[in-house]
Structure formats: structure tokens, C-alpha cells
Amino acid sequence: MRRVTVFVNGTSKNGKVVAVYGTLTDMLSVATNKLGIRACNLYNGKGGLIDDIALIRDDDVLYVSEGDPFFDPQNDVRARDDRPGAHTDWLTLNIGGRLFTTTRSTLVSKEPESMLAHMFQEKGVLEEARFFGIEQLAEQLEVAIKNNQTPEDHSPISRKEFVRFLLATPTKSELRCQGLNFSGADLSRLDLRYINFKMANLSRCNLTHANLCSSNLERADLSGANLDGANLQGVKMLCSNAEGASLKGCNFEDPSGLKANLEGANLKGVDMEGSQMTGINLRVATLKNAKLKNCNLRGATLAGTDLENCDLSGCDLQEANLRGSNVKGAIFEEMLTALHMSQSVR
């Protein structure tokens, strides 16, 4: 029976004597158990790779690696580390085809936030540290990675940035802005037709005289926004939040017959004075304390709408559907046409 002495690659301390039997795979398995590493390759004292167990002779001194190239124990700095179990303090990292060999102390204390922090982000490095049982090191590596990563930018998009997007988009292409943050941005007088603003944050935006024809503002946040004089023909604002917004003199009336849809929208306290809203769909919307003076609501759907304390003075409500709406405290002065019972009773 042949016996050999195995060392961790690059070291000449804490070797183990093992018996040679079976196949090369069996030999690597024994070395794994004896040295506590993932044995992948065997080298002789001159750095020759052993690929057949028949090449091993009795009393040979072999070096076991985890896939890294041979390190001469006579020249490698690791051979001069005499601490018990010192080999476990070393890591050889294969990152992008390049091998990095370093120690725990170097990783943690010297460059954890610069070059090495970039190395740690490569796949498998933390898993390798945990495999060696160096949990404390793994935790410190994770902190270094987190500190080195660029924080997520949630800052609002500026007018300059958005205009650049608009100019780079073909006129026949639909620009998707779903869920983006435009809070407080100045988007006044821009051509925003057919843009998808679904669930976008447009709170406190300046959208005065902007062209939002057929744009999608479903569930968008328009609270406190200024849309005075905006073109809202055929706009979709289902369940959007426009509480406290200003919509004076807006045009919702589409000559082509495509009606604006504001069903279920929150329009508490909005100022829509003088807006053109023929045929608009405001079913089950909330218009509590809103100002709709002198609005054109001819043929509008206001069924189930909350119009409590709403000022509808001077409005045109001819053929408007007010069935089931809440008109408590609403002001109906100087109406252009008479309001019939059939319009408000189920």
C-alpha cells in the first residue's frame, strides 16, 4: 500500500499522510476530508499536474489545490505563515478568469471599499468565504459591497432630462413613463400626447398648457399639480389622485368623439373653473369641495359622483347623468339649463 503526504497548495505546514487507493477521484475525496478544502487538482513538488493515480509513488509529497495554479511553498509568502490553521486564512478567488490570492486581514482592513470591494461583487465570492466557515469575513464582505454600491437614485426627472427623452423618441412611438417620478417638474407647454404616465408621480408638477391628448394617467399622482389650460382630450385618468390640483380652463372635449375617462378619480378640492367637459366620464369620482363654475358638463356621466359642497354655478348640465350622486351642499346657481328630476333620480 502506498502512502503520501499532502499539503494545501503553497504551504509546507499541517500536512496529512493519506493512503493511495482507487481512482484519482477517490484520492481527491480523501484530501478534501483531511485538509478541509475542496480538492480539485494534485501537484507534485515541481508543480507537475497529476492526472492519473498511477503516477503517484510511495512517500511522494503532493500539493492539493482548489483549481488554482501551483504555488511553490519555497517562494510563496504563505509558506512563512506558521500559525496553526493558517492556510484557512487565505483565499484564492477566481474572478473573471483572473486569480486573486489574499488574506482575511487584507480583505477586511486594507482595501474593502475600493478595488477589493469591486472584486467581492463577482459571483460566488461570498459563497466561497462561507464554504471555508469564515462567517465573520462573509458578513464584513457584504458590508463592504453595500458601502461600495451606488445608491438607487429616486430623484425626480428634470425638464431638461425629459425633453432629451422626447427629442430622442420618434413621433410615432409611444413613450412609456409608467411609474416614473416627475414630482415638482416643469412640464409646461410640452407635447405629451399618447404618453403612458400610468402610476407616475406627477405631484406638484407644472403642466400648464401642456398637450396631454389621449395620454394615460391612470392611477397617477397629480395632487397639487397645475394643469391650467391643458389639453386633456381623450385622457384616461381612472382612479388617479388629483386632490387639490388646478385644472382651470382645461379642454376635455374631443371632437372625434373619444371621451375623457376620469372614473373613480380623486378630485377633492380641484379648481376646474371654465373647463370644457362635454361627455366626460366622472362616474363615482370624488369632487367634494371642488370648483366647477361655468364648466360645460353637457352629456357628462356623474352617476354616483360625490359632489358634496361642489360649486356648479353657471354650469351646463344638459343631458348630464346625476343619478345616485351626492349633491349635499352643492351650489346650482345661474344654471344655463334646468335640472330635471330624471337626471338625478334612479
mmCIF file with all atom_site columns, all heavy atoms in Angstrom, residues 95-110:
data_model
loop_
_atom_site.group_PDB
_atom_site.id
_atom_site.type_symbol
_atom_site.label_atom_id
_atom_site.label_alt_id
_atom_site.label_comp_id
_atom_site.label_asym_id
_atom_site.label_entity_id
_atom_site.label_seq_id
_atom_site.pdbx_PDB_ins_code
_atom_site.Cartn_x
_atom_site.Cartn_y
_atom_site.Cartn_z
_atom_site.occupancy
_atom_site.B_iso_or_equiv
_atom_site.pdbx_formal_charge
_atom_site.auth_seq_id
_atom_site.auth_comp_id
_atom_site.auth_asym_id
_atom_site.auth_atom_id
_atom_site.pdbx_PDB_model_num
ATOM 1   N N   . ILE A 1 95  ? -11.798 35.432 -10.388 1.00 0.00 ? 95  ILE A N   1
ATOM 2   C CA  . ILE A 1 95  ? -12.770 36.452 -10.746 1.00 0.00 ? 95  ILE A CA  1
ATOM 3   C C   . ILE A 1 95  ? -12.520 36.882 -12.181 1.00 0.00 ? 95  ILE A C   1
ATOM 4   O O   . ILE A 1 95  ? -11.476 37.446 -12.498 1.00 0.00 ? 95  ILE A O   1
ATOM 5   C CB  . ILE A 1 95  ? -12.671 37.668 -9.804  1.00 0.00 ? 95  ILE A CB  1
ATOM 6   C CG1 . ILE A 1 95  ? -12.946 37.218 -8.365  1.00 0.00 ? 95  ILE A CG1 1
ATOM 7   C CG2 . ILE A 1 95  ? -13.642 38.750 -10.215 1.00 0.00 ? 95  ILE A CG2 1
ATOM 8   C CD1 . ILE A 1 95  ? -12.704 38.297 -7.352  1.00 0.00 ? 95  ILE A CD1 1
ATOM 9   N N   . GLY A 1 96  ? -13.490 36.594 -13.017 1.00 0.00 ? 96  GLY A N   1
ATOM 10  C CA  . GLY A 1 96  ? -13.372 36.970 -14.421 1.00 0.00 ? 96  GLY A CA  1
ATOM 11  C C   . GLY A 1 96  ? -12.168 36.368 -15.103 1.00 0.00 ? 96  GLY A C   1
ATOM 12  O O   . GLY A 1 96  ? -11.568 36.969 -15.995 1.00 0.00 ? 96  GLY A O   1
ATOM 13  N N   . GLY A 1 97  ? -11.765 35.150 -14.677 1.00 0.00 ? 97  GLY A N   1
ATOM 14  C CA  . GLY A 1 97  ? -10.616 34.494 -15.276 1.00 0.00 ? 97  GLY A CA  1
ATOM 15  C C   . GLY A 1 97  ? -9.284  34.890 -14.663 1.00 0.00 ? 97  GLY A C   1
ATOM 16  O O   . GLY A 1 97  ? -8.243  34.347 -15.018 1.00 0.00 ? 97  GLY A O   1
ATOM 17  N N   . ARG A 1 98  ? -9.309  35.825 -13.718 1.00 0.00 ? 98  ARG A N   1
ATOM 18  C CA  . ARG A 1 98  ? -8.080  36.244 -13.045 1.00 0.00 ? 98  ARG A CA  1
ATOM 19  C C   . ARG A 1 98  ? -8.081  35.717 -11.618 1.00 0.00 ? 98  ARG A C   1
ATOM 20  O O   . ARG A 1 98  ? -9.116  35.677 -10.956 1.00 0.00 ? 98  ARG A O   1
ATOM 21  C CB  . ARG A 1 98  ? -7.981  37.776 -13.022 1.00 0.00 ? 98  ARG A CB  1
ATOM 22  C CG  . ARG A 1 98  ? -7.875  38.400 -14.389 1.00 0.00 ? 98  ARG A CG  1
ATOM 23  C CD  . ARG A 1 98  ? -7.874  39.908 -14.286 1.00 0.00 ? 98  ARG A CD  1
ATOM 24  N NE  . ARG A 1 98  ? -6.734  40.382 -13.483 1.00 0.00 ? 98  ARG A NE  1
ATOM 25  C CZ  . ARG A 1 98  ? -6.655  41.621 -12.997 1.00 0.00 ? 98  ARG A CZ  1
ATOM 26  N NH1 . ARG A 1 98  ? -7.621  42.471 -13.187 1.00 0.00 ? 98  ARG A NH1 1
ATOM 27  N NH2 . ARG A 1 98  ? -5.597  41.973 -12.293 1.00 0.00 ? 98  ARG A NH2 1
ATOM 28  N N   . LEU A 1 99  ? -6.908  35.304 -11.135 1.00 0.00 ? 99  LEU A N   1
ATOM 29  C CA  . LEU A 1 99  ? -6.797  34.743 -9.790  1.00 0.00 ? 99  LEU A CA  1
ATOM 30  C C   . LEU A 1 99  ? -6.266  35.801 -8.829  1.00 0.00 ? 99  LEU A C   1
ATOM 31  O O   . LEU A 1 99  ? -5.281  36.482 -9.107  1.00 0.00 ? 99  LEU A O   1
ATOM 32  C CB  . LEU A 1 99  ? -5.860  33.530 -9.800  1.00 0.00 ? 99  LEU A CB  1
ATOM 33  C CG  . LEU A 1 99  ? -6.379  32.316 -10.573 1.00 0.00 ? 99  LEU A CG  1
ATOM 34  C CD1 . LEU A 1 99  ? -5.289  31.274 -10.677 1.00 0.00 ? 99  LEU A CD1 1
ATOM 35  C CD2 . LEU A 1 99  ? -7.596  31.727 -9.888  1.00 0.00 ? 99  LEU A CD2 1
ATOM 36  N N   . PHE A 1 100 ? -6.955  35.930 -7.694  1.00 0.00 ? 100 PHE A N   1
ATOM 37  C CA  . PHE A 1 100 ? -6.545  36.852 -6.651  1.00 0.00 ? 100 PHE A CA  1
ATOM 38  C C   . PHE A 1 100 ? -6.321  36.048 -5.381  1.00 0.00 ? 100 PHE A C   1
ATOM 39  O O   . PHE A 1 100 ? -7.222  35.343 -4.920  1.00 0.00 ? 100 PHE A O   1
ATOM 40  C CB  . PHE A 1 100 ? -7.621  37.912 -6.398  1.00 0.00 ? 100 PHE A CB  1
ATOM 41  C CG  . PHE A 1 100 ? -7.881  38.795 -7.582  1.00 0.00 ? 100 PHE A CG  1
ATOM 42  C CD1 . PHE A 1 100 ? -8.821  38.428 -8.549  1.00 0.00 ? 100 PHE A CD1 1
ATOM 43  C CD2 . PHE A 1 100 ? -7.202  39.979 -7.752  1.00 0.00 ? 100 PHE A CD2 1
ATOM 44  C CE1 . PHE A 1 100 ? -9.067  39.231 -9.630  1.00 0.00 ? 100 PHE A CE1 1
ATOM 45  C CE2 . PHE A 1 100 ? -7.435  40.790 -8.834  1.00 0.00 ? 100 PHE A CE2 1
ATOM 46  C CZ  . PHE A 1 100 ? -8.364  40.417 -9.776  1.00 0.00 ? 100 PHE A CZ  1
ATOM 47  N N   . THR A 1 101 ? -5.123  36.135 -4.807  1.00 0.00 ? 101 THR A N   1
ATOM 48  C CA  . THR A 1 101 ? -4.807  35.438 -3.570  1.00 0.00 ? 101 THR A CA  1
ATOM 49  C C   . THR A 1 101 ? -4.523  36.475 -2.493  1.00 0.00 ? 101 THR A C   1
ATOM 50  O O   . THR A 1 101 ? -3.666  37.341 -2.666  1.00 0.00 ? 101 THR A O   1
ATOM 51  C CB  . THR A 1 101 ? -3.578  34.532 -3.737  1.00 0.00 ? 101 THR A CB  1
ATOM 52  O OG1 . THR A 1 101 ? -3.818  33.650 -4.824  1.00 0.00 ? 101 THR A OG1 1
ATOM 53  C CG2 . THR A 1 101 ? -3.331  33.726 -2.467  1.00 0.00 ? 101 THR A CG2 1
ATOM 54  N N   . THR A 1 102 ? -5.247  36.401 -1.399  1.00 0.00 ? 102 THR A N   1
ATOM 55  C CA  . THR A 1 102 ? -5.109  37.391 -0.348  1.00 0.00 ? 102 THR A CA  1
ATOM 56  C C   . THR A 1 102 ? -5.521  36.798 0.988   1.00 0.00 ? 102 THR A C   1
ATOM 57  O O   . THR A 1 102 ? -5.929  35.640 1.064   1.00 0.00 ? 102 THR A O   1
ATOM 58  C CB  . THR A 1 102 ? -5.958  38.638 -0.675  1.00 0.00 ? 102 THR A CB  1
ATOM 59  O OG1 . THR A 1 102 ? -5.708  39.628 0.311   1.00 0.00 ? 102 THR A OG1 1
ATOM 60  C CG2 . THR A 1 102 ? -7.436  38.293 -0.690  1.00 0.00 ? 102 THR A CG2 1
ATOM 61  N N   . THR A 1 103 ? -5.386  37.565 2.067   1.00 0.00 ? 103 THR A N   1
ATOM 62  C CA  . THR A 1 103 ? -5.714  37.087 3.408   1.00 0.00 ? 103 THR A CA  1
ATOM 63  C C   . THR A 1 103 ? -6.938  37.794 3.946   1.00 0.00 ? 103 THR A C   1
ATOM 64  O O   . THR A 1 103 ? -7.364  38.816 3.413   1.00 0.00 ? 103 THR A O   1
ATOM 65  C CB  . THR A 1 103 ? -4.556  37.337 4.377   1.00 0.00 ? 103 THR A CB  1
ATOM 66  O OG1 . THR A 1 103 ? -4.375  38.749 4.502   1.00 0.00 ? 103 THR A OG1 1
ATOM 67  C CG2 . THR A 1 103 ? -3.275  36.692 3.890   1.00 0.00 ? 103 THR A CG2 1
ATOM 68  N N   . ARG A 1 104 ? -7.468  37.221 5.024   1.00 0.00 ? 104 ARG A N   1
ATOM 69  C CA  . ARG A 1 104 ? -8.600  37.841 5.680   1.00 0.00 ? 104 ARG A CA  1
ATOM 70  C C   . ARG A 1 104 ? -8.281  39.278 6.105   1.00 0.00 ? 104 ARG A C   1
ATOM 71  O O   . ARG A 1 104 ? -9.065  40.192 5.909   1.00 0.00 ? 104 ARG A O   1
ATOM 72  C CB  . ARG A 1 104 ? -8.976  37.037 6.931   1.00 0.00 ? 104 ARG A CB  1
ATOM 73  C CG  . ARG A 1 104 ? -10.319 36.373 6.834   1.00 0.00 ? 104 ARG A CG  1
ATOM 74  C CD  . ARG A 1 104 ? -10.688 35.707 8.102   1.00 0.00 ? 104 ARG A CD  1
ATOM 75  N NE  . ARG A 1 104 ? -9.622  34.873 8.635   1.00 0.00 ? 104 ARG A NE  1
ATOM 76  C CZ  . ARG A 1 104 ? -9.813  33.944 9.565   1.00 0.00 ? 104 ARG A CZ  1
ATOM 77  N NH1 . ARG A 1 104 ? -11.001 33.752 10.040  1.00 0.00 ? 104 ARG A NH1 1
ATOM 78  N NH2 . ARG A 1 104 ? -8.826  33.219 10.018  1.00 0.00 ? 104 ARG A NH2 1
ATOM 79  N N   . SER A 1 105 ? -7.109  39.473 6.704   1.00 0.00 ? 105 SER A N   1
ATOM 80  C CA  . SER A 1 105 ? -6.766  40.795 7.208   1.00 0.00 ? 105 SER A CA  1
ATOM 81  C C   . SER A 1 105 ? -6.665  41.821 6.080   1.00 0.00 ? 105 SER A C   1
ATOM 82  O O   . SER A 1 105 ? -7.061  42.964 6.224   1.00 0.00 ? 105 SER A O   1
ATOM 83  C CB  . SER A 1 105 ? -5.446  40.746 7.982   1.00 0.00 ? 105 SER A CB  1
ATOM 84  O OG  . SER A 1 105 ? -4.408  40.244 7.146   1.00 0.00 ? 105 SER A OG  1
ATOM 85  N N   . THR A 1 106 ? -6.138  41.382 4.943   1.00 0.00 ? 106 THR A N   1
ATOM 86  C CA  . THR A 1 106 ? -6.041  42.300 3.796   1.00 0.00 ? 106 THR A CA  1
ATOM 87  C C   . THR A 1 106 ? -7.424  42.664 3.281   1.00 0.00 ? 106 THR A C   1
ATOM 88  O O   . THR A 1 106 ? -7.716  43.827 3.005   1.00 0.00 ? 106 THR A O   1
ATOM 89  C CB  . THR A 1 106 ? -5.224  41.656 2.662   1.00 0.00 ? 106 THR A CB  1
ATOM 90  O OG1 . THR A 1 106 ? -3.932  41.328 3.157   1.00 0.00 ? 106 THR A OG1 1
ATOM 91  C CG2 . THR A 1 106 ? -5.095  42.610 1.485   1.00 0.00 ? 106 THR A CG2 1
ATOM 92  N N   . LEU A 1 107 ? -8.283  41.654 3.174   1.00 0.00 ? 107 LEU A N   1
ATOM 93  C CA  . LEU A 1 107 ? -9.630  41.886 2.676   1.00 0.00 ? 107 LEU A CA  1
ATOM 94  C C   . LEU A 1 107 ? -10.395 42.853 3.558   1.00 0.00 ? 107 LEU A C   1
ATOM 95  O O   . LEU A 1 107 ? -11.066 43.757 3.077   1.00 0.00 ? 107 LEU A O   1
ATOM 96  C CB  . LEU A 1 107 ? -10.397 40.561 2.597   1.00 0.00 ? 107 LEU A CB  1
ATOM 97  C CG  . LEU A 1 107 ? -9.994  39.584 1.507   1.00 0.00 ? 107 LEU A CG  1
ATOM 98  C CD1 . LEU A 1 107 ? -10.687 38.264 1.711   1.00 0.00 ? 107 LEU A CD1 1
ATOM 99  C CD2 . LEU A 1 107 ? -10.313 40.142 0.150   1.00 0.00 ? 107 LEU A CD2 1
ATOM 100 N N   . VAL A 1 108 ? -10.289 42.651 4.863   1.00 0.00 ? 108 VAL A N   1
ATOM 101 C CA  . VAL A 1 108 ? -11.127 43.392 5.783   1.00 0.00 ? 108 VAL A CA  1
ATOM 102 C C   . VAL A 1 108 ? -10.555 44.754 6.141   1.00 0.00 ? 108 VAL A C   1
ATOM 103 O O   . VAL A 1 108 ? -11.264 45.738 6.212   1.00 0.00 ? 108 VAL A O   1
ATOM 104 C CB  . VAL A 1 108 ? -11.366 42.567 7.073   1.00 0.00 ? 108 VAL A CB  1
ATOM 105 C CG1 . VAL A 1 108 ? -12.147 43.371 8.087   1.00 0.00 ? 108 VAL A CG1 1
ATOM 106 C CG2 . VAL A 1 108 ? -12.095 41.274 6.739   1.00 0.00 ? 108 VAL A CG2 1
ATOM 107 N N   . SER A 1 109 ? -9.228  44.831 6.338   1.00 0.00 ? 109 SER A N   1
ATOM 108 C CA  . SER A 1 109 ? -8.669  46.056 6.889   1.00 0.00 ? 109 SER A CA  1
ATOM 109 C C   . SER A 1 109 ? -8.024  46.990 5.882   1.00 0.00 ? 109 SER A C   1
ATOM 110 O O   . SER A 1 109 ? -7.903  48.175 6.136   1.00 0.00 ? 109 SER A O   1
ATOM 111 C CB  . SER A 1 109 ? -7.630  45.705 7.958   1.00 0.00 ? 109 SER A CB  1
ATOM 112 O OG  . SER A 1 109 ? -6.537  45.027 7.359   1.00 0.00 ? 109 SER A OG  1
ATOM 113 N N   . LYS A 1 110 ? -7.604  46.472 4.712   1.00 0.00 ? 110 LYS A N   1
ATOM 114 C CA  . LYS A 1 110 ? -6.815  47.320 3.831   1.00 0.00 ? 110 LYS A CA  1
ATOM 115 C C   . LYS A 1 110 ? -7.623  47.993 2.733   1.00 0.00 ? 110 LYS A C   1
ATOM 116 O O   . LYS A 1 110 ? -7.616  49.203 2.600   1.00 0.00 ? 110 LYS A O   1
ATOM 117 C CB  . LYS A 1 110 ? -5.661  46.513 3.218   1.00 0.00 ? 110 LYS A CB  1
ATOM 118 C CG  . LYS A 1 110 ? -4.588  46.142 4.241   1.00 0.00 ? 110 LYS A CG  1
ATOM 119 C CD  . LYS A 1 110 ? -3.387  45.536 3.555   1.00 0.00 ? 110 LYS A CD  1
ATOM 120 C CE  . LYS A 1 110 ? -2.289  45.216 4.585   1.00 0.00 ? 110 LYS A CE  1
ATOM 121 N NZ  . LYS A 1 110 ? -1.108  44.632 3.958   1.00 0.00 ? 110 LYS A NZ  1
#
